[in-house]
Amino acid sequence: MIPDVNHTILFELVKALGAPRLFVRLLLALPQDVHRSELERLVEYIASETSPSDIRFFLDVWWEVMKHQEGQEDATVSMFGTLIRQHGCESSLDDGLQPPKRFKGDPGSLNDPAAATSLLVVLIEGLKQTYRSIALPHLRCYALANLVELLSVFTELQPEGSPLPVAEYLDKVSSVVSLWTSDTESQFHHRGLDEMVKEAERSMSLLSRAKLSREELFVGLDFLCSLLHAWGEELQGTLNSSEELCYESYRLLDTLTTFGKNLVCFSETRDLGEDETRVVLELTQITKDFLKEIGASLKSKGLDTNLVSSVAMTIIEQKLDRHMEMCSVFASEKAWAFSKDWVDCLVKNKALFQKPELVLKLLETLVNFAMLHQDKEARELQMQVTKAIVECYAELSLTDKNKVISGVLASWGGPGLSLNLQVVMEGFQEDLNVTFNQITKSVSDEGLTKAVASVARLTLLYPEATVKQVCNLAVVNLGAHQFLAQILCSFPALSFLETHNDPGRPRSLVVRCLEEAVWGRLSTAREEEQFLEFLAFLLQPSSAAPLVSPAEVTKAFVLPYLKSGSVQIELSLQILSKVLGIQSCSEEHWIKSCHLFPLLLSLCKLLDGYTKYWHQPRDQHFPSLETKDLVLNILCQLCEVVGPETAPSPELWVQSLAWLHRKVASLDWTVGLRLKKLYGDHFKNEVPATLFEICTLPEDEWTSQLLPAYGPGSGLLAWMECCCVSAALRETMLKLLTVNVDNPEEVNLFSKGFLVALIQVLPWCSQSEWKRLMHVVENLLQRQVLHVPYTLEYVQYMPLLNLRPFACYLQFSVLFLRGFQLLCSSSCSTWLPAEAWLHVVQLYCSSLTDLLGSVKSAAGPPSHSAEDRAPTQEVSFVCIQMFCHLLHVAAMLPDKGCSEPLVVVALEILSQYEVFSSADTSPSNTLRRANERHFLESITDNVGDEALRSTLLQKLSKLGARSAGEPA
């Protein structure tokens, strides 16, 4: 298909048109055997009667062969290649080649290593044939540059996988563009910047698709060595006498510099023969000497900053080679930033900057500019650039947004961009309020993604203000706390630790925001509850990494407030209880970093304070008795998780225990008993000496101490206080108690002493401690160690019933009554402060509720069946007795506002009475119920508390109405 043309005319035509690139592309579209023969024909033509223009043309063709990349053909070359593939290629008969053949398949290309190598060898041979005809310095530079580039890139001299750093790459492209711009004779002088940059990039992006063999390499190195010997000195003189470099001389210096480094690396890393080593060393020295003689000013002439920035922006806008790397240079090069072209380039190419590292570099450049420029025009530019950066950031994935937020926090801390970028603050508060108003109105799983995206934008601009807003709304917006916690936990970057000029004590950003925005401002129980739940979610989110650590929370919200007088102490204790429930992720428990033994001592001091609870100064805040159980649970949890393994050494552990034991010695003796699990075998249980009078305590575990408050006869009080400490110690005390049940006098004395001790302990008991004592009472009653005679104060007639299964419950009720008779007697009238009565009544009522539950369990469900008789009359009788005892207690109580819990329990007893009495199917049931109702009304009429009396009478009247409506 190639016409039989006159090659002289063809070569002269291409040379005259200045179209070496087109020639090379058409040449490489031919089959392998043909394009080599055609190139050899060109070399043959150039070598005959060689002129400078011939040399120029040959070197241009060589240069284009090396720069050629597949896939960059224009329409003409593509059409030519298609024709070749479709119809084959016939060689001319008179060219001395093989007879014509029909070629099938792809044409040859540089992708075929054999084809590429053969072309490269032809080019070197061409230079060998023509180098004597090269006289002009710039052509000698051109020839040497081509040869050096070929030997550097298309041989094993090229280092593996070491691309030029992008900054150096940009400098080289810019240098080439600068040379073409200043050189009026350059073929690219009149081209636009876009074209020049594209061409410069081509010259920087040579791809080694094939490599010369070792033998061919050293043939080339020998040839290069001889050329440098022949031309070197003259070229040095010419270059040094020039004020400016031309493109060819620049290329030579650049390629020789790289080539020299490659030679050194090659000689150090390859196994070379003696002759090969000699050639490499000689060439290395010649190259070094040649470059050394070139003036430094010629080699390192500075580039115009505007040109470099224009080249970089052209690479980005045209998406040329390495344009993404150029985006990184563009984003961080402060000298270019905020020119009109720079801003336009950023705005037009936002899609290329949607990477976290680029967004961060742009932000750094933006902040740097804002710190130096505050005028109106600069602020407008800042607004424009900020908007563009935020739009890039908005397109990132949530993971990448977190990377950006991490970078912002690392650079500027909690204030983020607002620290130095005033334009961020303009309208930010309004934006913050509007965004969160919308979020809190659309609390749902569906709205979470949208909410996270909105908060991500605000967090980028002003992290700590955004976090504070979330924390505040989580507390004051009813029910929104978990949704807001989910939003916050979507940003693990916020787990950032601030140093605040103290690297040794980093602080959590989120914890600080909680302290400043919420802590100390919680005004209602509901807000405290939401704060606790919000904090719990941040500590243990359902599907994300924790945003705060237990140790950080403990140090911020617990340790500073565990002392009498602190108004936040109850909340702090609730927080400590929650964080102790979180498992430690490492072998070393996190509590170790929280001043463990001082923390234990603080809790012990709180427990000691409860022994004087009703005598604490009223003007000093002290946690309520309801909180005592929380303190006890926390202390128990700490004793469980803390052991010798948490100390750096066994010696330090023993020293710490001794320190705590010494401090606790000055507190109430019961506090030390609660630390037994912690003490282990290091210390015995220290108790009042009088406890040994009623217990057989083993001396290897127990030791006595003389306490002034525990005189003769106080042993039972000490025993009962031990029973309050824990369920385990309670069982130990019951086991070790010595009472001779065969001695009536001893049993009577024990029972009277027990009642007195019970009343002494009652006002200081927490709910859990009181329940432990109720178990003690039940145990002693069942064992018949405790004697509680049942009197018939509220029995009109002898009940002909089987009350034995309920004897214990009736004795319980009477015991409570006797206790209150003692407590309300004249001898104890000044013993209990007025504010203690409500607590005592609440404990009594909780026991009656438990007692009523036990009665129901013992009786089983009421049945209306005659065959399946339940003890309905017995339960009714027990309920009446409990009701009367309760009213008796109510009548004795001082008028201190204690009626509410009594009303609740009394109504509960009457309801239970109604259930069982109505289930009675005996013939006399109606009469008995009428008599019982009359009896209950007469008792209730004597209650002095008007509110209690009227409520109960109303309830009894309803019982009567229902009884009257039943069939006789």
Side-chain angles (χ1 to χ4, degrees):
M1 288 300 294
I2 296 182
D4 187 12
V5 296
N6 184 306
H7 281 77
T8 301
I9 296 173
L10 173 63
F11 296 147
E12 288 298 327
L13 177 62
V14 175
K15 185 170 67 170
L17 291 173
R21 184 182 304 178
L22 177 59
F23 176 78
V24 168
R25 287 181 174 176
L26 293 172
L27 176 72
L28 295 176
L30 299 171
Q32 294 176 22
D33 57 345
V34 179
H35 71 213
R36 173 168 180 147
S37 66
E38 290 298 321
L39 188 59
E40 287 173 340
R41 190 183 287 273
L42 172 64
V43 169
E44 184 183 345
Y45 170 75
I46 295 297
S48 174
E49 299 180 8
T50 306
S51 68
S53 62
D54 292 335
I55 294 296
R56 180 84 202 192
F57 178 56
F58 169 68
L59 294 175
D60 284 344
V61 169
W62 183 344
W63 187 213
E64 287 299 333
V65 168
M66 290 196 295
K67 289 191 291 181
H68 179 77
Q69 293 182 17
E70 296 294 326
Q72 295 185 345
E73 295 82 2
D74 58 18
T76 303
V77 176
S78 298
M79 188 180 299
F80 180 73
T82 303
L83 287 170
I84 292 296
R85 285 191 293 274
Q86 288 175 350
H87 303 290
C89 175
E90 294 181 357
S91 307
S92 178
L93 290 175
D94 64 346
D95 61 2
L97 298 174
Q98 296 290 329
K101 293 180 181 178
R102 175 68 62 188
F103 175 79
K104 294 182 180 180
D106 290 336
S109 74
L110 286 183
N111 279 330
D112 185 329
T117 304
S118 65
L119 287 182
L120 298 175
V121 171
V122 171
L123 291 169
I124 295 174
E125 287 301 318
L127 184 58
K128 284 183 178 180
Q129 294 177 35
T130 58
Y131 79 93
R132 292 183 182 83
S133 302
I134 304 175
L136 296 175
H138 74 278
L139 290 180
R140 287 183 173 182
C141 288
Y142 197 176
L144 284 170
N146 277 3
L147 180 57
V148 171
E149 197 100 59
L150 187 152
L151 294 174
S152 293
V153 177
F154 298 92
T155 68
E156 56 185 303
L157 278 180
Q158 185 184 36
E160 293 294 330
S162 54
L164 208 58
V166 68
E168 192 176 336
Y169 177 81
L170 176 60
D171 279 346
K172 288 193 174 186
V173 173
S174 302
S175 296
V176 171
V177 172
S178 176
L179 290 167
W180 286 340
T181 304
S182 59
D183 185 359
T184 55
E185 295 183 8
S186 168
Q187 59 176 315
F188 298 106
H189 178 71
H190 298 290
R191 306 274 182 93
L193 181 62
D194 290 3
E195 285 189 69
M196 282 197 278
V197 172
K198 282 181 185 177
E199 186 57 31
E201 276 220 331
R202 279 188 75 228
S203 68
M204 299 289 298
S205 308
L206 304 188
L207 297 177
S208 173
R209 295 182 180 84
K211 294 188 183 295
L212 296 177
S213 67
R214 176 70 70 91
E215 183 181 351
E216 290 167 334
L217 167 62
F218 276 91
V219 169
L221 292 178
D222 270 330
F223 180 42
L224 175 61
C225 199
S226 64
L227 285 181
L228 286 172
H229 276 303
W231 294 346
E233 190 174 342
E234 187 179 342
L235 280 179
Q236 284 173 344
T238 303
L239 290 173
N240 282 326
S241 65
S242 303
E243 294 183 7
E244 298 268 346
L245 283 173
C246 65
Y247 174 59
E248 289 78 9
S249 55
Y250 165 80
R251 243 191 92 213
L252 174 60
L253 295 177
D254 183 53
T255 54
L256 273 179
T257 302
T258 305
F259 180 69
K261 294 175 183 175
N262 290 353
L263 279 175
V264 172
C265 181
F266 182 70
S267 65
E268 292 173 349
T269 59
R270 302 301 171 94
D271 186 17
L272 303 178
E274 187 178 338
D275 289 341
E276 291 174 337
T277 302
R278 179 187 53 76
V279 171
V280 170
L281 291 177
E282 183 182 357
L283 194 52
T284 303
Q285 190 60 46
I286 293 171
T287 304
K288 185 177 178 182
D289 292 343
F290 180 86
L291 292 171
K292 187 177 180 180
E293 295 302 320
I294 305 299
S297 60
L298 198 62
K299 289 189 286 186
S300 59
K301 187 174 180 181
L303 287 167
D304 180 7
T305 303
N306 291 333
L307 175 64
V308 177
S309 65
S310 297
V311 168
M313 285 184 261
T314 301
I315 292 172
I316 292 169
E317 288 172 352
Q318 299 296 320
K319 296 183 177 60
L320 303 180
D321 288 347
R322 303 183 73 173
H323 67 277
M324 286 310 301
E325 292 174 87
M326 207 55 66
C327 287
S328 179
V329 176
F330 173 91
S332 55
E333 186 52 70
K334 297 174 179 59
W336 310 344
F338 288 87
S339 66
K340 184 179 183 304
D341 290 340
W342 187 89
V343 174
D344 288 345
C345 180
L346 173 62
V347 172
K348 288 176 187 174
N349 297 280
K350 284 182 294 191
L352 297 178
F353 291 89
Q354 291 169 11
K355 293 186 179 295
E357 58 275 11
L358 294 181
V359 171
L360 278 169
K361 286 182 178 180
L362 285 170
L363 289 173
E364 189 177 338
T365 301
L366 171 61
V367 168
N368 184 72
F369 179 81
M371 290 172 68
L372 300 173
H373 304 87
Q374 301 292 336
D375 56 275
K376 183 181 178 183
E377 184 182 353
R379 289 171 70 84
E380 288 174 357
L381 283 172
Q382 290 170 38
M383 288 291 287
Q384 190 178 355
V385 171
T386 302
K387 181 175 181 291
I389 297 173
V390 170
E391 286 172 2
C392 293
Y393 170 80
E395 295 301 319
L396 298 178
S397 67
L398 186 56
T399 301
D400 284 345
K401 283 176 181 172
N402 271 290
K403 290 178 183 176
V404 175
I405 293 169
S406 291
V408 168
L409 291 170
S411 296
W412 303 291
L417 299 178
S418 70
L419 185 66
N420 300 303
L421 200 59
Q422 287 302 309
V423 294
V424 165
M425 298 304 296
E426 294 173 12
F428 178 81
Q429 190 60 47
E430 183 182 353
D431 191 9
L432 190 71
N433 294 337
V434 170
T435 300
F436 278 103
N437 281 341
Q438 292 171 345
I439 288 173
T440 51
K441 287 175 183 175
S442 59
V443 175
S444 67
D445 290 340
E446 294 78 19
L448 181 62
T449 304
K450 186 177 179 183
V452 167
S454 299
V455 173
R457 178 176 54 81
L458 296 169
T459 306
L460 171 73
L461 301 174
Y462 198 166
E464 72 176 37
T466 307
V467 174
K468 285 180 180 179
Q469 185 80 338
V470 173
C471 295
N472 183 57
L473 290 175
V475 168
V476 301
N477 264 64
L478 187 63
H481 55 285
Q482 185 165 340
F483 184 68
L484 290 166
Q486 280 180 283
I487 293 173
L488 213 54
C489 287
S490 300
F491 301 101
L494 293 175
S495 57
F496 175 72
L497 296 177
E498 302 173 312
T499 55
H500 289 296
N501 301 321
D502 187 0
R505 298 180 62 190
R507 275 185 85 200
S508 162
L509 168 67
V510 174
V511 169
R512 178 173 67 82
C513 290
L514 279 166
E515 282 185 289
E516 295 176 4
V518 178
W519 188 252
R521 301 182 186 182
L522 303 168
S523 55
T524 65
R526 180 62 191 171
E527 286 186 358
E528 288 187 357
E529 184 183 341
Q530 292 212 159
F531 174 77
L532 271 172
E533 291 177 10
F534 180 67
L535 193 57
F537 197 96
L538 299 184
L539 283 160
Q540 283 186 303
S542 54
S543 59
L547 211 50
V548 292
S549 73
E552 290 168 347
V553 169
T554 302
K555 289 172 184 175
F557 301 116
V558 177
L559 297 183
Y561 306 100
L562 285 189
K563 54 189 176 185
S564 299
S566 170
V567 293
Q568 289 103 341
I569 190 165
E570 281 101 338
L571 186 55
S572 292
L573 287 166
Q574 290 179 62
I575 292 170
L576 181 55
S577 178
K578 273 195 183 297
V579 297
L580 281 174
I582 297 172
Q583 294 297 318
S584 185
C585 354
S586 62
E587 291 182 8
E588 188 175 274
H589 199 283
W590 60 263
I591 195 68
K592 182 183 171 184
S593 66
C594 297
H595 312 290
L596 177 57
F597 281 89
L599 170 60
L600 286 165
L601 181 59
S602 296
L603 293 169
C604 291
K605 286 181 176 179
L606 280 177
L607 288 178
D608 180 67
Y610 279 113
T611 63
K612 316 172 190 68
Y613 183 79
W614 299 114
H615 304 291
Q616 293 280 1
R618 293 300 100 188
D619 59 342
Q620 183 177 334
H621 183 79
F622 193 84
S624 66
L625 266 171
E626 287 74 19
T627 309
K628 184 180 181 183
D629 279 336
L630 186 60
V631 178
L632 292 171
N633 288 335
I634 290 169
L635 191 61
C636 183
Q637 281 178 282
L638 283 173
C639 290
E640 287 289 338
V641 301
V642 174
E645 66 280 358
T646 58
S649 67
E651 295 77 16
L652 186 59
W653 172 253
V654 172
Q655 289 172 15
S656 301
L657 283 182
W659 175 86
L660 183 62
H661 182 263
R662 196 164 55 250
K663 294 289 183 181
V664 169
S666 63
L667 307 179
D668 187 76
W669 64 274
T670 57
V671 175
L673 295 181
R674 300 183 189 276
L675 297 173
K676 180 58 183 172
K677 188 169 183 64
L678 191 71
Y679 286 159
D681 296 329
H682 291 281
F683 302 102
K684 295 181 181 180
N685 290 321
E686 298 174 5
V687 294
T690 52
L691 181 60
F692 282 80
E693 297 170 4
I694 62 165
C695 282
T696 52
L697 300 173
E699 293 187 1
D700 57 332
E701 296 178 27
W702 301 78
T703 183
S704 65
Q705 53 180 188
L706 294 173
L707 299 174
Y710 290 81
S714 63
L716 202 50
L717 173 62
W719 180 85
M720 201 168 286
E721 287 181 283
C722 285
C723 290
C724 290
V725 170
S726 68
L729 191 56
R730 176 194 66 197
E731 296 307 313
T732 301
M733 289 294 105
L734 285 170
K735 183 180 177 182
L736 298 177
L737 178 66
T738 54
V739 179
N740 185 4
V741 293
D742 295 327
N743 185 336
E745 186 178 351
E746 188 172 336
V747 172
N748 275 324
L749 282 172
F750 171 78
S751 300
K752 289 176 183 176
F754 185 91
L755 181 63
V756 172
L758 187 67
I759 293 308
Q760 281 181 282
V761 171
L762 169 62
W764 281 268
C765 278
S766 66
Q767 282 286 350
S768 68
E769 290 173 324
W770 182 243
K771 284 185 185 297
R772 288 191 198 108
L773 286 183
M774 291 305 94
H775 177 83
V776 170
V777 173
E778 183 179 6
N779 178 279
L780 295 176
L781 286 173
Q782 288 174 346
R783 287 164 52 192
Q784 297 185 13
V785 175
L786 178 63
H787 177 58
V788 182
Y790 195 86
T791 57
L792 304 178
E793 294 159 276
Y794 296 104
V795 181
Q796 288 178 297
Y797 308 102
M798 180 66 66
L800 302 176
L801 304 168
N802 179 20
L803 295 174
R804 185 171 296 282
F806 305 98
C808 180
Y809 310 125
L810 289 168
Q811 286 178 297
F812 244 120
S813 187
V814 168
L815 182 67
F816 290 146
L817 175 60
R818 299 291 175 253
F820 273 96
Q821 284 175 327
L822 176 61
L823 197 57
C824 298
S825 65
S826 58
S827 59
C828 297
S829 59
T830 58
W831 178 64
L832 200 59
E835 55 272 17
W837 283 101
L838 178 60
H839 175 69
V840 168
V841 169
Q842 286 172 334
L843 292 180
Y844 168 57
C845 290
S846 72
S847 294
L848 284 184
T849 300
D850 292 343
L851 196 59
L852 196 58
S854 299
V855 170
K856 285 161 59 180
S857 297
S863 172
H864 294 271
S865 168
E867 291 77 18
D868 185 20
R869 183 188 176 279
T872 54
Q873 292 183 29
E874 286 84 351
V875 174
S876 299
F877 176 81
V878 172
C879 288
I880 290 171
Q881 294 301 297
M882 288 175 63
F883 181 78
C884 293
H885 294 159
L886 183 146
L887 293 187
H888 192 153
V889 169
M892 291 186 291
L893 291 173
D895 186 16
K896 298 297 179 185
C898 302
S899 62
E900 185 178 341
L902 292 169
V903 169
V904 173
V905 178
L907 291 174
E908 191 178 346
I909 294 171
L910 288 177
S911 296
Q912 202 57 49
Y913 162 76
E914 181 183 13
V915 169
F916 277 89
S917 65
S918 63
D920 185 10
T921 57
S922 64
S924 60
N925 178 43
T926 305
L927 176 61
R928 185 172 59 256
R929 288 186 68 188
N931 288 336
E932 287 171 351
R933 182 173 62 81
H934 177 71
F935 174 68
L936 292 173
E937 286 176 343
S938 64
I939 296 294
T940 306
D941 273 333
N942 294 319
V943 174
D945 189 306
E946 174 62 30
L948 178 61
R949 183 174 70 251
S950 61
T951 303
L952 296 180
L953 286 173
Q954 187 178 7
K955 173 71 174 178
L956 288 167
S957 67
K958 290 179 181 178
L959 292 180
R962 276 193 283 274
S963 296
E966 292 173 355

